[in-house]
C-alpha cells in the first residue's frame, strides 16, 4: 500500500473535469500536494535489541530500512493520511519484524516483555481509528509485528463447514484459498482488498454482505492468540454454556491483549449466483423502516444498504456521476446463493418492498454499486489532492433511536464543519433490533485540517454517546475513540478491560495506548 | 418448588403399572423413600449481621426460618435431589434476603464485601451443575440473594422489538407479560416453568426452540449487573466494534462476577400458528446428517430434535408408553410464526427431509412431544422413588466430531454404569457448524448412588474434553464442571476469569467456588 494514499497506484481515481468543476464550485479547488522524501526518525532500538529480534525471526525478517518503516507508520484514516502527506513520520516503528508463525509470535512477545519493547501487531494496515499509532514513551523502542508471512489456510472442515486461517491473509488471498474448496467467507468490508483476517477479528469487522453472511465476530467459532504470558485457545463448539464466551473477549481486543495467530471461521459454499438491484424510496425514514421490516421478518437479502437524500444526490458510487441524478433515497439489495435461493429470497423481498412503497430500479444501480464497492478510499485521495477534507465515521443503535441519532450526528458535523460542508449518510448493516449509520463528510480544508476534523469528530462522537449509541459499529476503538469508548462502557467496564490487560500483558507492551482507556 | 423434588406436587408423574413392571424388569424396583423432617444447620450469621441485612431490605425480606432456608438449598441435579432426599441440608444458606431492585442488590453486595458474607444469587433454583452450592469457609456466613421480588417488565420497545426484564421473572411470568404486548421471547428450556430470566442470562441457557429463536445469549442486547465494586451497564447497539463484547463476559458469569439486575432482550411477535410433527430416520447418523443439511442451508424449523435409537425405543416423552414403539430414530420438527411463515418453512423443510430419506409421521408425535416437553424432571422423581438412578448431561461439538463424541461419551457412561444401565441421547440444538448432544442415563442405584454417578459423570466429562467438545452446551459450569472447564479454556483462560473476578469481586463473596477454577 502507498505510504500516503490508499491501495495501489494503478487503481487510483482520476476525477473527470466535470467532477472537478463541481468540486471547485462546492469547496474551491486547492492544490494540496504531498511532501516527498521525508524519512522516519532515528531508530531507538539499540543493536543488541535488534540482534535479539534477529535471533527469533532470522536476519531477513527484521527490517529497519526507511521505506519499510515508513510503510508501517500509522493506518489510513484521513488524519493519518494528512500527517503522512505532510511528511510526519513520528509514529514510525523502529523495526518491522516478520514472524513465521504462532511460536515465533509467542517468543517475540515474551522477549518484548523482558526487554520492555512496545509491539504493534500489523495486518493490512487499513486501520482508520489510530490503532497503529501506539505510545512509545517508557519503552526501549517500538516494533511493528508484521503478520505478512502468516498466510496459510491451516485446515478446511467440509463437514462442519469451517476453515482455519492465519491472520496475515488479506481478504482476497483468503477468498482465493477458500475458492479452491468451493467455499467463501463472504466478508467484504470496503477495506477488503487490503485488510487482513487478523485485523477483521481484532477489530470486529463487519462487511458489506453482513445481512447475509453475518459480522466477522459471528463467523469465528474458535481462535488462538499468543499473549505475553501464554497462549489462549478458545472455541470447543459452535456455542456452549461453559462460562463467559472468551472468544468475544479476544475478538475486538485490537492487539492489546494478544496477537491472534489463527481463527477458525464458519464458511459457506461459494454462491452460484449473485444479483444486485436498486430501489428508490421517498425518504431515508421510509427506506429505513423497510429495512427494519425485512430484518424483523427474517427476510434480509445478502446485501442491503440505503443512502440518505444527500448521499443519493451525490452518488458516491460513481465519481463520473458526482452531483448527478437522484430523487429520494437509493437502496441497494443484493442476493447471493444457489439460483433457487436467490430467486426465492428475491421474490419475498420484492413483495415486501413493493408493498411498502419502494420503487424497483432494476439491476443497473446494483451493478454500479457492486463495481465501485471498494472504491471510495481512492476517491478520498483524489479529493485530498485538491484540498477537500473527506472522512467517514459510523455508529449503530436500536431502531427506535435511529432517527434521533441520525439528526444529532448530522447536526453536530454540519455545525462543526460549517456552511458549504457536505454530510452524507447510509445504513449498511441491519439487525432485528437496530442498524448502523455511516457518515461521509466533505468540506474545504482550513489551515489545520487535522484539528478541523478532530473538532467535528468530537462533536459527532459526543452526539453518539448522548443518544445512547455506540462510538463505532465496525472500525474499532484505536486511539481516536478511547475517550468516548470509556463513556460507552462505563468505569466498571474500563476496569474489567484493564484487569484483563494486566493479566495477559503485565508489562503493557502490546499496542500501548490503543483500546484501553 | 418442592425441596426434594422437581416442580409442583400436582404435576408429579405417577408411573402406570405397565411402566413399573418394565422398570422392575430393567433395574429391579427398590423402595427409596425420602427422609422427612430434616432441619438445616444452625445459622452462622450473628444477630448484628442479620440486622445489617434487615437495614438494607427491610425486616420482612430477611428470612431465616427452616422451611425457607431448606427451599434455597442447592439446585435440582440428581446428586442435589439425592442429598435432599437423604436429609442432607449442609449447604443451606443462613438467611434468604429478597431485595426489591437494583439499588438494594448493589447495597447488599457492598455490605457483604465489607462483612465478608458469601452471597449466592438465586433465581429459579433449577440449576443442575452445583451452581447453588457455594463454599462458605472463610466467610462470616452465607446468604441466598433471592430475586423473587424483581419481576417487572421495565420497558417494551415495539419499534426495536426489545423488552427489558428483571431477573426474578420465571419463564411463564415473562411470557405472560410479553403476551400482553403480543410478543414472545421464545425461550423454552425444559426448566421453563420454574427457571428465571436472570438464570437464563447467567448460565447461557438455550431453549428447545433455539433453532428458531436463538440461544438466550443471542437474544440479549443489553444488560445491567450490580457487582461488589460498582454497576456495569453494557449494550449500546445490536452489535458494534467498540472493543471486546462485554455482554458476553457477563452472560455465563453464573453470579460470580455480579448479579444481573436487568436484561434487554430481542423479542418477536407471538406466533399465530404452531405446528409440531414427527419424522422417522433409519439411524441417528442419518437423522443428524439431515439436521446438518438444514442448518447449513439456512432452512431450520423453529424446533428440531432427534432421538437416538435407544431414546426412540424408550420414548421418554410419554411415561405411559415407556418401552413402547419405535424403530429407527424419531425426529421432531416444529414451526412457529404467521400462517404463511409456517407453511413456507414447513414446505421447504419437508422437501429436504423427504429427499434425504426421512419418513413423515404426521402431527401426532410432535403434539405428544409438545405436550410432554417440560415433563422429564417429574419422571426422574418418580424413578428416584423406586431406586432408579436417573440423570442427564449434555455437550456440543462441531459436526465432524459428532460421531466420535457420541460414541465416546456413550461408551464412557455405559462402561461406568455397568450392564443393565440405559444410555439415551438426543440432538436438540443445531448450528451451521455443529450441534449439541444430550444424554439421559438410567441405572439401578447402588449403595452410594451419588458416588456412582460422579464416577460415570467424570468418565463422560473426560471423554468430552478428549474429543475437543465442550463440557456443557446449556447448563453452565457450577461447581460440578469446574475441573473440566479449566481444561476446556486452558490455563490462560482461567487466569483471565480470575483477573476479572478479582477486579469486580475483590473479597470473593459472590458464589465462592462456583465457575472460576
Amino acid at each position: 500500500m502507498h505510504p500516503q494514499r490508499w491501495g495501489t497506484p494503478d487503481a487510483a481515481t482520476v476525477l473527470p473535469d466535470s467532477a472537478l468543476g463541481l468540486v471547485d464550485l462546492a469547496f474551491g479547488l486547492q492544490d494540496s500536494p504531498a511532501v516527498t522524501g521525508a524519512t522516519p526518525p532515528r531508530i531507538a532500538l539499540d543493536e543488541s535489541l535488534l540482534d535479539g529480534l534477529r535471533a527469533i525471526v532470522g536476519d531477513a525478517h527484521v527490517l529497519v530500512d526507511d521505506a519499510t518503516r515508513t510503510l508501517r507508520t500509522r493506518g489510513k484514516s484521513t488524519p493519518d493520511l494528512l500527517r503522512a502527506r505532510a511528511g510526519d513520520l513520528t509514529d514510525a516503528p523502529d523495526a518491522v519484524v516478520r514472524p513465521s508463525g504462532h511460536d515465533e509470535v509467542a517468543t517475540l512477545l515474551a522477549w518484548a516483555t523482558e526487554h520492555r519493547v512496545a509491539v504493534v501487531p500489523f495486518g493490512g494496515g487499513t486501520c482508520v481509528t489510530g490503532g497503529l499509532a501506539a505510545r512509545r514513551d517508557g519503552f526501549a523502542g517500538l516494533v511493528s509485528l508484521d503478520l505478512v508471512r502468516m498466510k496459510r489456510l491451516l485446515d478446511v472442515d467440509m463437514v462442519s463447514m469451517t476453515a482455519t486461517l492465519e491472520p496475515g491473509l488479506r481478504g482476497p488471498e483468503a477468498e482465493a484459498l477458500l475458492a479452491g474448496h468451493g467455499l467463501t467467507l463472504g466478508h467484504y468490508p470496503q477495506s477488503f482488498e487490503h485488510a487482513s483476517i487478523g485485523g477483521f477479528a481484532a477489530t470486529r469487522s463487519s462487511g458489506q454482505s453482513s445481512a447475509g453472511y453475518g459480522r466477522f465476530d459471528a463467523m469465528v467459532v474458535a481462535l488462538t492468540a499468543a499473549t505475553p504470558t501464554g497462549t489462549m485457545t478458545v472455541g470447543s463448539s459452535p456455542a456452549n454454556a461453559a462460562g463467559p464466551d472468551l472468544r468475544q473477549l479476544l475478538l475486538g481486543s485490537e492487539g492489546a491483549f494478544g496477537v491472534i495467530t489463527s481463527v477458525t471461521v464458519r464458511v459457506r459454499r461459494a454462491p452460484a449466483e449473485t444479483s444486485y438491484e436498486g430501489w428508490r424510496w421517498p425518504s431515508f425514514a421510509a427506506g429505513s423502516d423497510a429495512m427494519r421490516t425485512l430484518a424483523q421478518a427474517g427476510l434480509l437479502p445478502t446485501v442491503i444498504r440505503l443512502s440518505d437524500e444527500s448521499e443519493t444526490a451525490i452518488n458516491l458510487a460513481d465519481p463520473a456521476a458526482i452531483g448527478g441524478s437522484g430523487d429520494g433515497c437509493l437502496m441497494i439489495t443484493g442476493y447471493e446463493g444457489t439460483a433457487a435461493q436467490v430467486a426465492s429470497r428475491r421474490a419475498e423481498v420484492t413483495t415486501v418492498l413493493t408493498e411498502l412503497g419502494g420503487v424497483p430500479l432494476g439491476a443497473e444501480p446494483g451493478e454500479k454499486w457492486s463495481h465501485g464497492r471498494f472504491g471510495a478510499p481512492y476517491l478520498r485521495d483524489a479529493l485530498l489532492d485538491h484540498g477537500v477534507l473527506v472522512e467517514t465515521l459510523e455508529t449503530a443503535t436500536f431502531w427506535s433511536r435511529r432517527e434521533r441519532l441520525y439528526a444529532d450526528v448530522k447536526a453536530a458535523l454540519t455545525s462543526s464543519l460549517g456552511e458549504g460542508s457536505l454530510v452524507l449518510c447510509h445504513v449498511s448493516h441491519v439487525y432485528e433490533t437496530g442498524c448502523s449509520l455511516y457518515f461521509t463528510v466533505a468540506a474545504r480544508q482550513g489551515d489545520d485540517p487535522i484539528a478541523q476534523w478532530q473538532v467535528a469528530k468530537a462533536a459527532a462522537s459526543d452526539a453518539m454517546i448522548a443518544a445512547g449509541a455506540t462510538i463505532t459499529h465496525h472500525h474499532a476503538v484505536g486511539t481516536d475513540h478511547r475517550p468516548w469508548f470509556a463513556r460507552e462502557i462505563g468505569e466498571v467496564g474500563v476496569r474489567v478491560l484493564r484487569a484483563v490487560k494486566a493479566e495477559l500483558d503485565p508489562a503493557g507492551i502490546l499496542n500501548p495506548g490503543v483500546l484501553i482507556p
Side-chain angles (χ1 to χ4, degrees), chain A:
Chain A
M1 193 123 72
H2 191 286
Q4 298 172 319
R5 311 175 77 84
W6 182 261
T8 47
D10 55 337
T13 292
V14 179
L15 289 175
D17 287 346
S18 59
L20 279 179
L22 282 164
V23 170
D24 195 19
L25 206 64
F27 308 111
L29 288 181
Q30 308 180 74
D31 219 17
S32 201
V35 168
T36 53
T39 54
R42 192 184 63 78
I43 295 172
L45 282 174
D46 65 31
E47 205 53 37
S48 73
L49 289 174
L50 290 172
D51 283 342
L53 290 168
R54 290 178 188 118
I56 297 168
V57 296
D59 291 3
H61 299 296
V62 178
L63 307 175
V64 293
D65 62 287
D66 284 356
T68 304
R69 292 173 61 211
T70 299
L71 277 169
R72 295 291 170 266
T73 304
R74 304 191 197 96
K76 295 294 175 186
S77 70
T78 295
D80 286 347
L81 293 179
L82 289 169
R83 288 191 187 95
R85 293 166 72 100
D88 173 357
L89 293 172
T90 46
D91 289 312
D94 295 306
V96 175
V97 296
R98 307 191 307 200
S100 63
H102 173 87
D103 291 348
E104 283 186 8
V105 173
T107 306
L108 279 170
L109 296 184
W111 176 91
T113 298
E114 187 187 342
H115 297 281
R116 286 197 62 77
V117 173
V119 174
V120 180
F122 190 96
T126 59
C127 180
V128 292
T129 55
L132 296 170
R135 282 197 304 102
R136 54 189 306 151
D137 50 296
F139 294 96
L142 183 147
V143 302
S144 174
L145 194 157
D146 191 337
L147 297 160
V148 67
R149 292 170 66 208
M150 294 172 64
K151 292 197 177 197
R152 286 173 297 173
L153 171 61
L154 296 172
D155 185 50
V156 175
D157 178 343
M158 294 296 291
V159 175
S160 308
M161 290 296 275
T162 62
T164 304
L165 301 164
E166 282 194 317
L169 285 164
R170 300 295 189 278
E173 294 167 339
E175 285 294 340
L177 287 170
L178 292 172
H181 299 266
L183 301 173
T184 183
L185 194 49
H187 185 69
Y188 299 104
Q190 195 175 66
S191 59
F192 169 75
E193 297 174 314
H194 304 283
S196 69
I197 293 293
F200 295 151
T203 64
R204 293 187 172 277
S205 173
S206 193
Q208 293 165 353
S209 311
S210 67
Y213 292 97
R215 302 166 53 82
F216 199 80
D217 51 20
M219 299 178 188
V220 174
V221 293
L223 74 168
T224 296
T227 84
T229 59
T231 291
M232 200 163 161
T233 298
V234 286
S236 56
S237 48
N240 60 57
D245 192 342
L246 295 174
R247 295 177 291 208
Q248 302 296 333
L249 195 64
L250 292 173
L251 294 164
S253 64
E254 301 184 28
F257 292 165
V259 177
I260 294 167
T261 55
S262 74
V263 294
T264 302
V265 283
R266 175 254 289 153
V267 290
R268 300 252 176 93
R269 282 185 204 290
E273 199 168 309
T274 61
S275 160
Y276 306 110
E277 303 177 335
W279 289 81
R280 191 169 300 284
W281 293 89
S283 68
F284 196 40
S288 297
D289 282 348
M291 291 173 125
R292 178 166 68 84
T293 300
L294 289 176
Q296 293 178 348
L299 287 180
L300 286 173
T302 310
V303 172
I304 187 159
R305 42 197 301 125
L306 173 75
S307 295
D308 72 354
E309 289 82 351
S310 311
E311 190 174 285
T312 301
I314 295 291
N315 193 357
L316 274 185
D318 180 6
I322 280 181
S325 69
D327 292 321
C329 290
L330 177 66
M331 176 187 279
I332 302 294
T333 52
Y335 307 90
E336 302 186 6
T338 62
Q341 284 169 335
V342 167
S344 142
R345 183 50 57 98
R346 188 163 172 267
E348 293 169 313
V349 171
T350 300
T351 301
V352 174
L353 296 186
T354 306
E355 271 171 18
L356 293 172
V359 177
L361 301 178
E364 198 231 332
E367 294 306 321
K368 217 156 120 182
W369 166 78
S370 169
H371 181 72
R373 65 194 289 189
F374 306 128
Y378 289 107
L379 180 56
R380 175 176 58 166
D381 284 322
L383 290 166
L384 287 175
D385 288 338
H386 293 289
V388 182
L389 179 69
V390 181
E391 183 56 308
T392 65
L393 49 76
E394 92 294 344
T395 179
T397 193
F398 300 105
W399 288 114
S400 58
R401 302 180 194 162
R402 185 202 62 79
E403 204 144 352
R404 176 193 162 179
L405 180 64
Y406 172 62
D408 289 0
V409 173
K410 188 171 173 166
L413 289 168
T414 306
S415 128
S416 174
L417 291 169
E419 246 180 80
S421 61
L422 270 179
V423 179
L424 322 174
C425 184
H426 64 248
V427 176
S428 45
H429 304 267
V430 300
Y431 306 90
E432 283 184 68
T433 58
C435 67
S436 67
L437 289 176
Y438 185 101
F439 293 86
T440 302
V441 305
R444 181 183 169 84
Q445 285 184 27
D447 293 340
D448 185 348
I450 293 178
Q452 183 186 0
W453 173 242
Q454 281 168 340
V455 171
K457 167 100 176 168
S461 301
D462 286 343
M464 291 173 195
I465 299 298
T470 181
I471 187 65
T472 172
H473 175 265
H474 56 263
H475 282 142
V477 175
T479 53
D480 295 352
H481 289 152
R482 278 197 317 168
W484 294 275
F485 176 53
R487 287 161 63 187
E488 182 172 340
I489 65 170
E491 177 252 333
V492 182
V494 170
R495 282 201 280 109
V496 166
L497 294 184
R498 285 191 187 137
V500 174
K501 170 84 172 173
E503 181 63 41
L504 295 176
D505 178 23
I509 55 146
L510 271 167
N511 255 356
V514 171
L515 178 65
I516 315 290

